[in-house]
Every structure is written in structure tokens, then in C-alpha cells.
């Protein structure tokens, strides 16, 4: 899995993090390494959105992505701010 994640990170010019997770369902397993892609630049997020629009995720992951994209668009358009905060301006 690591080579694929490294290619994704290279494509998006972002960070790859390794996180240790301790499962609760199996006491025999000490920890599991999970790989996480971290994107913070708006331009990189838009590259990811365009990619996932072209090559959709499957099943529930697509529904989570749709919700995430809705919130992202609201933040980008400053629709998440209250009227009082909008009045303060940039």
C-alpha cells in the first residue's frame, strides 16, 4: 500500500503521515499502521476534488466525500459565516 500512497502524495504535492491505531476488537493485535494524506493548500484540495469527481469513490465513501465537498464549498464561498461575522468583512 505504501508505494500507491507515495504516488498519490507526489501527485498532490502533499504530506504522508503514518498513524498507529490500537484496535479494540482484537486484543492479539498490538497496533496497525494507517497512512493518511494531509492536504492544506486550497489549490491542492481542488486538484483532489477534480480527481474524485472524475474517478468517483465507491458506496459510502462517495457519500462522505459529497458531504465533505458541500462543506468545503460553503467555506470557500464564506457561506459558513454568520451574518454578524460577514458584516466584519475581510
Amino acid at each position: 500500500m505504501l508505494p500507491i500512497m507515495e504516488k498519490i502524495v507526489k501527485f498532490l504535492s502533499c504530506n504522508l503521515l503514518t498513524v498507529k491505531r490500537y484496535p479494540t476488537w482484537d486484543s492479539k493485535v498490538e497496533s496497525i499502521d494507517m497512512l493518511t494524506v494531509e492536504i492544506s493548500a486550497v489549490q491542492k484540495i481542488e486538484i483532489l476534488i477534480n480527481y474524485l469527481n472524475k474517478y468517483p469513490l465507491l458506496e459510502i465513501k462517495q457519500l462522505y466525500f459529497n458531504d465533505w465537498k458541500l462543506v468545503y464549498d460553503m467555506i470557500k464561498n464564506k457561506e459558513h459565516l454568520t451574518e454578524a461575522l460577514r458584516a466584519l468583512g475581510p
Side-chain angles (χ1 to χ4, degrees):
M1 184 62 86
L2 185 60
I4 293 170
M5 293 298 285
E6 288 173 340
K7 287 180 182 180
I8 292 171
V9 166
K10 186 176 180 181
F11 175 73
L12 294 171
S13 301
C14 59
N15 299 320
L16 181 64
L17 307 173
T18 302
V19 179
K20 285 203 178 290
R21 183 164 186 224
Y22 298 92
T24 57
W25 69 86
D26 188 351
S27 60
K28 296 176 189 171
V29 178
E30 290 186 22
S31 69
I32 298 171
D33 287 340
M34 294 182 358
L35 299 172
T36 303
V37 175
E38 179 184 70
I39 303 172
S40 57
V42 173
Q43 299 84 0
K44 303 302 179 190
I45 292 173
E46 290 182 7
I47 291 171
L48 177 63
I49 288 170
N50 292 336
Y51 181 85
L52 292 174
N53 283 332
K54 186 174 181 178
Y55 304 103
L57 297 165
L58 301 175
E59 300 178 10
I60 190 93
K61 298 280 186 181
Q62 183 64 37
L63 298 176
Y64 290 146
F65 169 72
N66 292 343
D67 290 344
W68 175 84
K69 186 178 177 306
L70 179 68
V71 173
Y72 169 78
D73 288 338
M74 289 175 68
I75 292 170
K76 183 178 169 188
N77 297 325
K78 301 192 184 317
E79 296 169 2
H80 67 296
L81 300 174
T82 63
E83 287 299 321
L85 290 175
R86 283 187 208 155
L88 295 176

